[in-house]
Amino acid sequence: MTAPAAHLQQTALNSVHRRMGARMVPFGGWDMPVEYSGIIPEHLAVRRAAGLFDVSHMGELDIRGPQALDLVQWVCCNDANRLAIGQAQYSGLMTEQGTFVDDLLVHKLANDHYWLVVNAANTDADFAHIQAHNRFDAQVTNASARYAQLALQGPRALEILQPLTAMPLAAIQYYWFAHGQVLGVDAVIARTGYTGEDGFELYFAPQHAERLWTALLAAGEAAGLIACGLGARNTLRLEAGMALYGHEIDAATMPWEANLGWICKMTKPGFLGQDRLAAAKANPPARRLVGFEMAEPGIARDGYPILSAGDGSPDAAAIGRVTSGSPAPFLGKNIGMAYVPPAAAQPGTQLKIGIRQRAAAAVVTPLPFYRRGKGGGTDNAPAGAHAGGNAAAPPA
Amino acid sequence: MASYPSQYRYTKEHEWISAEDGRGTVGITDYAQQQLGDVVYVEMPKTGAELKSAQAFGTVESVKAVSEIFSPVSGKVEEVNPDLTAAPELINQDPHGRGWLVKVQLANPAELDSLMSAAEYEQFIAAQRLD
């Protein structure tokens, strides 16, 4: 079996993934499992039962001090002042231009303690960016090495996890978290995720990773839980219409272009890029992120050109680009997200997408593509669903 | 793991060809389908298309990736596997058999001599795994 390349970082579960026969790929500077039994069965397991993901590559940044909130408020566009202790919030880490350094989850642990979960590939840059803009009485620590992170996702996640913890999991609302023990291991138990399903993300010391991973898989086996890789994580978040940094959003993206106006609180006290965003908001955006479904055979992949609205030849100039495109295993369609001119952003608009030598028909589709049904007391509302909403989290 | 039929010839891009009497059947190898994952979509040329040795003539796609398929030989497409439209997973299930892609009338059967034998191909992929 191939050894991981020396320059790649490894999670605490690297040898477990290899022993289990996962296909490993470089991702964001990490040697990560892309699939175990296959992206399709893993995707379907999460929609119908549950899946377990090692997402320990994600970064954790700790912000403490009397002005911890002021620092979070200054660098992030969502309003962290609305958070109660134990609540989490999807937000954007902003450049001075009002574009994205990263997207992240802000957790409020205490009045003087916030905890940011950020994308693996951006962790170092995020840490440097926050430090560079730290003119407050607050200390920033890159705590990533202190945490393993497992995501247990799917409609049966709660019943699988509950026997392993005394924490009453049903009491943790969507986008809230609690400190508890899982099999005696101190953990942050957060009801968050990146799949469009109910589920939990567990953060704990890496030396316990193998024991918890193995115990969770065993505890969930009868319920249909299987190990899942980053391939299914990507198709699941795409069906749920959620942005992926480097695809839908980057340092050239303003929030409302990406349907993320709901995380951009223009009326809160100042934040990085707010003035630029206020000025830009006077003009309609030049492009909009939309969802699309292929109307002809073919899979529109990341980077493929949008040739036109309506007719289009394979030689037509691009009017936009696909940001993410893939078969959607649960929906059984070929879907994607793309930037298009606002005139082509209405659902129902016919698009032509350049797939190699061919112009293939697609149609603009409302986001999200997939929304899970109500049940268990919480309603999932992934990214596309809550434009204009102002709750800390996707509203319940 | 599937074995590599000794009567087939193989390319460095992981296609195989089984040739007899100036006609060849082309597919992708077991190694290639393993690397690709579950195949969900196949684009092949039409019957009558002219293929050139070592040039891309179609694509095989998994959920995650697109893989271009390179022709092991030059020649004319006589038949495209009709089962792959409805069942592209045949490429995963039986890559060296029912998952074949096209049948080709060879323009120059001597091109076969430049391809790898099964033993050479197995050495080739063993070396790739160590990279």
Side-chain angles (χ1 to χ4, degrees), chain A:
Chain A
M1 179 162 293
T2 315
H7 65 280
L8 294 176
Q9 299 190 72
Q10 299 178 22
T11 75
L13 291 167
N14 189 277
S15 63
V16 178
H17 299 317
R18 289 174 172 276
R19 203 159 64 227
M20 287 176 66
R23 198 150 67 82
M24 306 296 286
V25 297
F27 180 86
W30 292 73
D31 183 56
M32 295 299 289
V34 67
E35 60 181 319
Y36 298 82
S37 50
I39 293 174
I40 296 170
E42 292 166 26
H43 182 114
L44 296 178
V46 173
R47 289 277 179 259
R48 293 170 178 161
L52 185 64
F53 302 77
D54 175 19
V55 285
S56 302
H57 61 313
M58 301 293 285
E60 290 86 14
L61 305 178
D62 218 32
I63 299 184
R64 290 173 194 257
Q67 292 188 301
L69 175 61
D70 298 295
L71 176 56
V72 172
Q73 287 287 66
W74 178 243
V75 295
C76 294
C77 60
N78 208 339
D79 189 357
N81 194 39
R82 301 181 186 198
L83 289 174
I85 292 170
Q87 200 174 10
Q89 176 184 70
Y90 181 59
S91 190
L93 183 63
M94 305 312 280
T95 68
E96 287 163 300
Q97 285 71 47
T99 60
F100 289 97
V101 178
D102 203 356
D103 63 341
L104 71 170
L105 289 183
V106 177
H107 300 74
K108 181 174 182 176
L109 280 81
N111 287 331
D112 58 356
H113 188 186
Y114 290 79
W115 196 61
L116 315 181
V117 176
V118 303
N119 283 299
N122 295 341
T123 305
D124 291 344
D126 291 354
F127 178 54
H129 181 76
I130 295 169
Q131 281 194 309
H133 291 281
N134 183 10
R135 51 185 174 78
F136 304 95
D137 186 4
Q139 295 80 48
V140 189
T141 313
N142 183 349
S144 303
R146 298 211 301 265
Y147 295 98
Q149 183 186 349
L150 298 183
L152 176 65
Q153 299 280 297
R156 303 191 74 171
L158 190 152
E159 70 177 79
I160 292 167
L161 182 59
Q162 188 62 82
L164 310 186
T165 179
M167 174 71 59
L169 296 174
I172 305 175
Q173 296 295 305
Y174 194 52
Y175 270 71
W176 289 72
F177 64 93
H179 287 86
Q181 288 198 329
V182 179
L183 288 173
V185 174
D186 290 331
V188 173
I189 303 170
R191 199 160 191 172
T192 52
Y194 192 50
T195 60
E197 295 300 332
D198 189 16
F200 295 88
E201 294 184 294
L202 308 176
Y203 304 84
F204 51 88
Q207 67 263 30
H208 306 297
E210 182 166 352
R211 190 160 70 85
L212 286 195
W213 171 266
T214 307
L216 279 163
L217 283 178
E221 190 177 2
L225 174 68
I226 59 173
C228 296
L230 297 185
R233 184 168 150 94
N234 186 53
T235 52
L236 287 158
R237 71 90 195 168
L238 178 59
E239 276 188 351
M242 294 169 162
L244 172 61
Y245 194 85
H247 291 251
E248 284 71 37
I249 56 173
D250 58 22
T253 314
M254 287 192 169
W256 42 80
E257 294 177 318
N259 305 319
L260 292 174
W262 67 276
I263 64 166
C264 189
K265 299 303 192 298
M266 296 302 290
T267 54
K268 79 169 191 177
F271 64 89
L272 276 176
Q274 191 180 31
D275 50 342
R276 298 288 291 270
L277 286 170
K281 206 165 187 182
N283 304 307
R287 57 178 191 157
R288 286 286 305 276
L289 185 70
V290 297
F292 66 82
E293 271 177 38
M294 297 307 297
E296 288 178 0
I299 303 164
R301 303 281 180 176
D302 310 7
Y304 286 11
I306 309 298
L307 298 173
S308 70
D311 294 334
S313 81
D315 305 322
I319 61 165
R321 290 277 163 195
V322 175
T323 54
S324 296
S326 168
F330 183 76
L331 300 174
K333 300 168 178 171
N334 293 326
I335 63 169
M337 292 194 273
Y339 277 106
V340 298
Q346 276 303 316
T349 305
Q350 307 287 319
L351 301 175
K352 290 282 188 182
I353 301 180
I355 298 183
R356 293 176 289 278
Q357 271 55 279
R358 183 161 77 80
V363 60
V364 175
T365 310
L367 291 171
F369 303 99
Y370 168 84
R371 186 197 308 266
R372 82 171 195 267
K374 290 197 178 202
T378 57
D379 176 22
N380 182 29
H386 36 74
N390 59 8

Side-chain angles (χ1 to χ4, degrees), chain B residues 2-19 23-33 57 69-73 81 84 90-91 94-104 112 115-118 121:
Chain B
S3 64
Y4 293 92
S6 59
Q7 72 276 24
Y8 289 11
R9 309 291 287 182
Y10 300 88
T11 72
K12 290 183 174 172
E13 286 78 32
H14 309 288
E15 293 87 12
W16 55 263
I17 179 167
S18 161
R23 298 182 68 220
T25 303
V26 175
I28 67 170
T29 66
D30 182 58
Y31 176 83
Q33 70 80 17
F57 70 92
I69 309 303
F70 297 86
S71 186
V73 294
N81 187 342
L84 295 181
L90 284 173
I91 292 173
D94 191 7
H96 301 151
R98 291 190 303 143
W100 64 275
L101 300 173
V102 293
K103 295 191 177 184
V104 182
L112 294 169
L115 302 175
M116 285 182 277
S117 69
Y121 180 69

Side-chain angles (χ1 to χ4, degrees), chain A residues 2 23 34-35 38-41 231 234-235 297-299 301 304 326-327 355-356 358, chain B residues 34-41 43 59 61-66 68 128-131:
Chain A
T2 315
R23 198 150 67 82
V34 67
E35 60 181 319
I39 293 174
I40 296 170
N234 186 53
T235 52
I299 303 164
R301 303 281 180 176
Y304 286 11
S326 168
I355 298 183
R356 293 176 289 278
R358 183 161 77 80
Chain B
Q34 281 179 38
Q35 294 295 307
L36 203 50
D38 294 334
V39 175
V40 294
Y41 186 62
E43 261 184 20
T59 54
E61 304 194 35
S62 66
V63 175
K64 191 82 185 151
V66 185
E68 287 200 301
Q128 296 225 322
R129 286 199 166 101
L130 296 177
D131 279 350

